[in-house]
Amino acid sequence: MFQDKCGLDSVGHLGRAVDPSVAQLVRNRLDPEHTEPFRWQFFTTVGI
């Protein structure tokens, strides 16, 4: 699902735990009555 929404996202598997785009997708799935339109946000783990 994530690759369909964010094909340009270069964050690896570990970075997905803190990626704001992933967090929004999870919140939308867990609380479908209060979903927000999805907006991909650039995020990188380079330098962490």
Side-chain angles (χ1 to χ4, degrees):
M1 174 178 76
F2 186 73
Q3 289 81 5
D4 294 338
K5 299 271 187 190
C6 307
L8 298 176
D9 197 302
S10 63
V11 174
H13 292 283
L14 294 176
R16 302 239 188 264
V18 294
D19 189 324
S21 298
V22 172
Q24 184 179 10
L25 287 172
V26 171
R27 281 193 305 270
N28 284 348
R29 288 290 183 141
L30 292 176
D31 190 6
E33 293 182 11
H34 300 100
T35 60
E36 297 180 11
F38 179 75
R39 291 185 324 258
W40 176 73
Q41 299 176 34
F42 177 77
F43 181 76
T44 183
T45 55
V46 173
I48 293 180

